Amino acid sequence: MPVATSHHLRPSPPAADRRSGCAARSSLRPWAQPLRRRAVAAAASAGGEASAAVSAVSAGATAGAKRDPVRRHTISVFVGDESGMINRIAGVFARRGYNIESLAVGLNKDKALFTIVVSGTDRVLKQVIEQLNKLVNVLNVEDLSKEPQVERELMLIKLNAKPDQRAAVMLVANVFRAKVVDISENSLTLEVTGDPGKIVAAQRSLSKFGIEEICRTGKIALIREKIGTAARFWGFSTASYPDLIEASPRNPLLTSPKKTVNGSFDQPSSAGGDVYPVEPYESMSMNQVLDAHWGVLDDEDSSGLCSHTLSILVNDCPGVLNIITGVFARRGYSIQSLAVGRAEKEGISRITTVVPGTDESIEKLVQQLYKLIDVLKVEDLTHLPFAERELMLIKVSGNTAARREILDIGQIFRAECLDLSDHTVTLMLTGDLDKMVALQRLLEPYGICEVARTGRVALTRESGVDSKYLRGYSLPV
């Protein structure tokens, strides 16, 4: 049944009648002609002003967009209190709708270093940094994106590689300098280390073989050390190596006032404790940098308490990290390690965390995590054979004589030299926790300027081989 429209209800007169009616009315009212012309002119001028205003607004918006573009920022947050600090820092970003792209935390008993990657404008990120500085026990917040930096990330990737495909997989792995972590009949696990661009390129190149699982750490970064007295750790290095002062340039244009670690022009005593010299002196604090071995329980005690490694798959949406860390904080769990990165599927992130507890308490914690909407899967890897890796960037002070010794020690641990200045050496190391501890202990006598660490990342070994138990057996003679 057809529906009546306005044209059906009120038919329009013929075009000739309309023209004749308009002509008759205009002939009857000749005084309306000048008014009509003035109205048309006024409307035209008003329309021109409106279009000019719209164009001006659009031009201003375009200029504003060009002045303050959205870009990726790397924020370093050094805090003095680990208890509940992860939830508080994640809450600052969640309340403002920021989605944390990656998070790497090096935790200690009384301090922690966060490396957070978010996208936003410079103006809004400045406000976020101001809010982070208002938190209790936050010692230093710095946007590393404004300075030349050394950035690295770690990825464990498990491939569905059959025996006839392994030659092609290893060819691609050699291009990206990947290392084999585990191998079984139908799978191959690789370790890839590099900047975020290299990680993405390696993932795309290996995707044709079939990716089963991916576990990524967040990006960690250290500012590249400058050469000369204007460097951040020049005063720290010269306190341990006085010969650096004699070798420094005497040009007054190259010298600058001594800065602290936080970038201020105060005395070095305000460094906040994240650096310490080889020999103590009055103007520098002796608080050590992050201890890589803090809080991890390798063996169970009489009560069954040990460190549990949890792998959590979540939806990649703003505020999900704040919700998950809130579950740990409300139940009094102390997070010993935390790594957040993208998973094998788009829109899904993997959180790898280490928490102490008994098997019964961790089982209840897993049940509580499953009640969250954005949590897709929770797996306790503690009692399974799994491959674990961590990433550490360590900056060590040293003169020309000590530089050779530092590089030799790093070569023993297969560490890679990433940056070199006249008074510092920056090394990168990947491996398990004991390897991190051993290198840091050996480099302490030379003077450690700063350390950036990721949390632990782990994937189950399809081969079923648990290397942790193999270390207790002696090799045959």
Side-chain angles (χ1 to χ4, degrees):
M1 178 177 174
V3 180
T5 61
S6 60
H7 298 288
H8 293 90
L9 299 177
R10 185 176 296 175
S12 58
D17 296 341
R18 291 198 300 268
R19 285 195 299 269
S20 60
C22 292
R25 285 192 296 270
S26 62
S27 61
L28 292 176
R29 293 178 296 179
W31 52 269
Q33 295 295 334
L35 294 177
R36 185 175 302 170
R37 283 194 293 268
R38 286 196 296 268
V40 171
S45 62
E49 293 175 358
S51 60
V54 171
S55 61
V57 171
S58 60
T62 306
K66 291 181 180 179
R67 286 196 304 267
D68 202 3
V70 176
R71 62 189 184 94
R72 186 173 285 108
H73 293 258
T74 304
I75 301 176
S76 175
V77 185
F78 191 81
V79 302
D81 184 14
E82 184 270 332
S83 179
M85 186 59 72
I86 297 178
N87 189 29
R88 278 180 275 172
I89 291 179
V92 173
F93 293 91
R95 288 190 295 271
R96 285 156 183 82
Y98 273 97
N99 186 21
I100 297 177
E101 299 181 10
S102 70
L103 174 69
V105 187
L107 297 178
N108 210 173
K109 182 178 181 180
D110 56 350
K111 58 178 72 73
L113 178 64
F114 294 77
T115 307
I116 306 171
V117 178
V118 293
S119 296
T121 61
D122 294 339
R123 181 177 59 84
V124 178
L125 259 296
K126 183 178 179 181
Q127 298 175 358
V128 173
I129 292 176
E130 292 176 356
Q131 294 297 324
L132 290 173
N133 281 317
K134 294 179 181 179
L135 297 179
V136 180
N137 290 326
V138 171
L139 304 180
N140 184 32
V141 182
E142 189 174 6
D143 188 1
L144 303 180
S145 306
K146 300 179 181 179
E147 299 287 342
Q149 56 181 294
V150 179
E151 56 180 6
R152 286 297 183 270
E153 191 174 344
L154 173 66
M155 176 178 67
L156 293 180
I157 179 169
K158 185 185 296 184
L159 305 173
N160 294 322
K162 297 181 180 179
D164 57 344
Q165 296 179 329
R166 288 177 184 170
V169 172
M170 293 308 301
L171 182 62
V172 178
N174 292 332
V175 173
F176 293 96
R177 298 180 181 178
K179 302 177 183 178
V180 178
V181 176
D182 184 63
I183 185 171
S184 66
E185 184 177 357
N186 295 317
S187 68
L188 186 66
T189 304
L190 300 176
E191 169 198 327
V192 186
T193 307
D195 53 36
K198 179 182 176 181
I199 298 296
V200 173
Q203 181 178 346
R204 291 178 179 176
S205 301
L206 295 172
S207 60
K208 60 183 178 181
F209 302 104
I211 298 177
E212 185 177 349
E213 285 183 290
I214 288 180
C215 190
R216 294 173 58 178
T217 65
K219 184 181 76 172
I220 57 176
L222 292 179
I223 296 178
R224 292 186 180 271
E225 193 72 10
K226 297 180 181 179
I227 297 178
T229 57
R232 302 169 67 211
F233 292 99
W234 174 259
F236 168 73
S237 300
T238 55
S240 302
Y241 304 93
D243 58 324
L244 291 174
I245 302 178
E246 301 176 358
S248 61
R250 297 300 179 181
N251 190 351
L253 297 178
L254 300 179
T255 60
S256 64
K258 186 179 296 183
K259 292 185 179 181
T260 64
V261 180
N262 297 334
S264 61
F265 291 91
D266 299 331
Q267 296 297 324
S269 59
S270 62
D274 61 340
V275 285
Y276 59 100
V278 179
E279 298 295 336
Y281 61 101
E282 297 179 356
S283 59
M284 179 66 76
S285 174
M286 286 295 294
N287 294 332
Q288 294 186 352
V289 296
L290 298 178
D291 185 4
H293 200 268
W294 170 76
V296 176
L297 306 175
D298 295 326
D299 301 326
E300 294 186 2
D301 56 9
S302 58
S303 62
L305 184 68
C306 67
S307 296
H308 288 253
T309 304
L310 302 180
S311 178
I312 309 172
L313 285 177
V314 298
N315 291 324
D316 190 6
C317 58
V320 63
L321 180 62
N322 183 35
I323 296 174
I324 292 178
T325 55
V327 175
F328 290 89
R330 288 192 297 270
R331 284 157 181 80
Y333 286 94
S334 178
I335 298 178
Q336 298 171 342
S337 173
L338 182 67
V340 183
R342 291 187 176 93
E344 57 273 7
K345 294 182 180 180
E346 189 70 24
I348 298 178
S349 297
R350 185 185 299 273
I351 301 175
T352 307
T353 180
V354 179
V355 292
T358 61
D359 293 342
E360 294 78 9
S361 61
I362 297 299
E363 184 178 356
K364 294 180 181 179
L365 176 62
V366 171
Q367 294 176 358
Q368 294 294 327
L369 291 173
Y370 266 119
K371 294 180 181 180
L372 301 178
I373 298 176
D374 293 318
V375 173
L376 306 178
K377 183 181 179 181
V378 183
E379 188 177 7
D380 188 2
L381 306 177
T382 306
H383 302 295
L384 299 175
F386 65 91
E388 59 171 316
R389 289 294 184 273
E390 292 188 28
L391 176 63
M392 178 175 67
L393 298 180
I394 180 169
K395 185 181 293 185
V396 187
S397 63
N399 55 5
T400 305
R403 187 183 305 160
R404 182 69 262 172
E405 300 178 3
I406 295 173
L407 293 177
D408 289 342
I409 294 175
Q411 187 177 4
I412 296 174
F413 289 86
R414 298 180 182 178
E416 181 181 351
C417 181
L418 300 182
D419 188 51
L420 189 66
S421 69
D422 56 348
H423 60 283
T424 59
V425 179
T426 303
L427 300 177
M428 178 193 71
L429 179 67
T430 60
D432 56 7
L433 183 65
D434 296 333
K435 187 177 180 181
M436 304 286 176
V437 175
L439 179 63
Q440 185 169 339
R441 292 290 184 267
L442 289 175
L443 294 178
E444 280 181 356
Y446 298 94
I448 298 179
C449 298
E450 55 182 346
V451 175
R453 290 180 54 238
T454 66
R456 177 190 300 181
V457 291
L459 289 178
T460 57
R461 292 183 180 269
E462 298 296 331
S463 61
V465 177
D466 195 346
S467 60
K468 180 175 65 175
Y469 294 102
L470 292 178
R471 296 175 185 174
Y473 294 95
S474 61
L475 297 176
V477 180

